[in-house]
Amino acid sequence: MSSERVAVELAKGVNGLDKIILRNTRGSSAEVYLYGGHVTSWKNDHGEELLFVSSKTLFKPPKPIRGGIPLCFPQFSNLGPLESHGFARNKVWSIDTDPPAFPTNSSSKAHIDLILKPSEEDMKIWPHSYEFRLRVALGPGGDLMLTSRIRNTNSDGKPFTFTFAYHTYFSVSDISEVRVEGLETLDYLDNLKNRERFTEQGDAITFEGEVDKIYLGTPTKIAILDHEKKRTFVLRKDGLPDAVVWNPWDKKAKAMSDFGDDEYKHMLCVEAAAIEKPITLKPGEEWRGRLELSAVPSSYCSGQLDPQRVLQGS
Ligand code: BG6
């Protein structure tokens, strides 16, 4: 067997579902299921899992996978007539063998292109023709990059409108030791208070109960500091002005059949999104939304990562 790692491997995942494993030369890896176009694993070069996936999730269509990075499209949450978070996360995607030219600055071999197009059945639920292309790439340094390209291919001349989120579940050591920087002083809609609008206070966000907020007009860079793990996740995003922060806490956790009672302690969703201003595409138009995740070891003590540096730094 060659000692060289295979950059892209097709494999069978839980319940025989097809998945793609991406590996870079330093040992980082990521896994993407065709079911949902769903990233379910992202590991650093020490083999440590960086995403949370519930031990209770069944990997059984049509229920979406609980954890990883579900794609919310064409509707975020219940903001419309479709099922919660839309249907992209519970459709079986295909490998896009011939994606159109892809402007990228990453030379990583470890990438896969997926595509979702509607079936006739799907068009009864959302009467639009589209091509949703997803590229998942693992950078040489272990960064995980997701690029979504959504094109209106309607032949009836009609535009369509959608909302979108990369519903990323980060793995954290202990939610009460975590802080999120980059969202201070921003306006948000509180999903727990009929989406009423509030303004966040000036300190980094910490967690001591259920949180479900849509932050509006957020910076392109947000940091999640895991004090106990001495790890900082950095999200960089483009085309995605909003950011949802969600932790169900104990009561909601108990009410979810596919989520362990105590698992809320070890996860945090920070979701790069386009929600407040839905995206409208005319036939032939394409929208692009990009998310780049990195995990860096940090020796920051709580409070040492200056929010201004998070916002302005490279
Ligand atoms: C978050 C929403 O994005 O997803 C929450 O803000 C919701 O309101 C959560 O509860 C989980 O949604 P679902 O459909 O995966 O259970």
Side-chain angles (χ1 to χ4, degrees), residues 63-66 70 72 76-78 84-85 89 165 167 169 191-192 195 210-214 244-246 248 252 256 258 269 271 275:
K63 196 148 169 77
I65 298 164
R66 173 72 66 196
C72 303
F76 178 76
S77 186
N78 60 357
S84 174
H85 290 326
R89 64 178 178 163
H167 195 313
Y169 287 74
N191 282 324
L192 302 177
R195 302 211 169 96
E210 185 182 0
V211 177
D212 192 353
K213 297 176 178 177
I214 306 170
V244 180
V245 176
W246 180 61
K252 284 246 169 89
M256 289 191 282
D258 59 349
C269 286
E271 312 167 29
I275 299 170

Side-chain angles (χ1 to χ4, degrees), residues 19-30:
K19 70 176 181 182
I20 294 107
I21 307 171
L22 306 175
R23 294 187 187 90
N24 74 4
T25 47
R26 289 204 210 156
S28 302
S29 66

Side-chain angles (χ1 to χ4, degrees), residues 155-226:
S155 53
D156 58 5
K158 288 201 179 127
F160 62 64
T161 297
F162 64 90
T163 46
F164 179 94
Y166 289 111
H167 195 313
T168 311
Y169 287 74
F170 292 94
S171 171
V172 297
S173 53
D174 175 356
I175 186 66
S176 48
E177 295 289 326
V178 167
R179 21 190 296 137
V180 176
E181 297 189 346
L183 303 176
E184 307 77 13
T185 73
L186 296 180
D187 279 6
Y188 63 87
L189 308 178
D190 195 336
N191 282 324
L192 302 177
K193 293 184 180 149
N194 294 319
R195 302 211 169 96
E196 211 183 310
R197 192 173 180 127
F198 297 92
T199 302
E200 191 54 83
Q201 35 77 30
D203 299 326
I205 293 150
T206 53
F207 301 88
E208 41 197 35
E210 185 182 0
V211 177
D212 192 353
K213 297 176 178 177
I214 306 170
Y215 289 88
L216 308 173
T218 60
T220 55
K221 200 167 165 185
I222 298 169
I224 303 167
L225 283 78
D226 186 337

Side-chain angles (χ1 to χ4, degrees), residues 114-288:
L114 303 184
I115 185 162
L116 181 69
K117 293 185 202 178
S119 67
E120 274 177 28
E121 275 306 296
D122 296 341
M123 289 183 68
K124 290 182 190 155
I125 294 163
W126 200 61
H128 297 292
S129 181
Y130 62 87
E131 288 171 354
F132 183 161
R133 290 193 159 80
L134 173 73
R135 171 170 287 195
V136 182
L138 190 64
D143 294 357
L144 184 68
M145 292 158 287
L146 282 82
T147 308
S148 288
R149 296 187 286 173
I150 297 170
R151 176 178 290 277
N152 181 334
T153 53
N154 273 336
S155 53
D156 58 5
K158 288 201 179 127
F160 62 64
T161 297
F162 64 90
T163 46
F164 179 94
Y166 289 111
H167 195 313
T168 311
Y169 287 74
F170 292 94
S171 171
V172 297
S173 53
D174 175 356
I175 186 66
S176 48
E177 295 289 326
V178 167
R179 21 190 296 137
V180 176
E181 297 189 346
L183 303 176
E184 307 77 13
T185 73
L186 296 180
D187 279 6
Y188 63 87
L189 308 178
D190 195 336
N191 282 324
L192 302 177
K193 293 184 180 149
N194 294 319
R195 302 211 169 96
E196 211 183 310
R197 192 173 180 127
F198 297 92
T199 302
E200 191 54 83
Q201 35 77 30
D203 299 326
I205 293 150
T206 53
F207 301 88
E208 41 197 35
E210 185 182 0
V211 177
D212 192 353
K213 297 176 178 177
I214 306 170
Y215 289 88
L216 308 173
T218 60
T220 55
K221 200 167 165 185
I222 298 169
I224 303 167
L225 283 78
D226 186 337
H227 187 47
E228 203 174 297
K229 263 262 153 67
K230 295 200 169 19
R231 173 185 291 149
T232 300
F233 292 108
V234 180
L235 280 83
R236 293 179 179 82
K237 57 190 180 59
D238 190 32
L240 299 158
D242 306 319
V244 180
V245 176
W246 180 61
N247 183 295
W249 221 254
D250 55 350
K251 278 205 198 100
K252 284 246 169 89
K254 286 201 175 87
M256 289 191 282
S257 61
D258 59 349
F259 193 90
D261 290 358
D262 284 330
E263 286 183 331
Y264 73 93
K265 293 177 183 164
H266 306 297
M267 55 73 67
L268 176 66
C269 286
V270 178
E271 312 167 29
I275 299 170
E276 190 196 23
K277 295 182 186 121
I279 313 292
T280 297
L281 294 178
K282 293 189 197 121
E285 283 183 340
E286 184 175 89
W287 170 86
R288 186 171 304 174

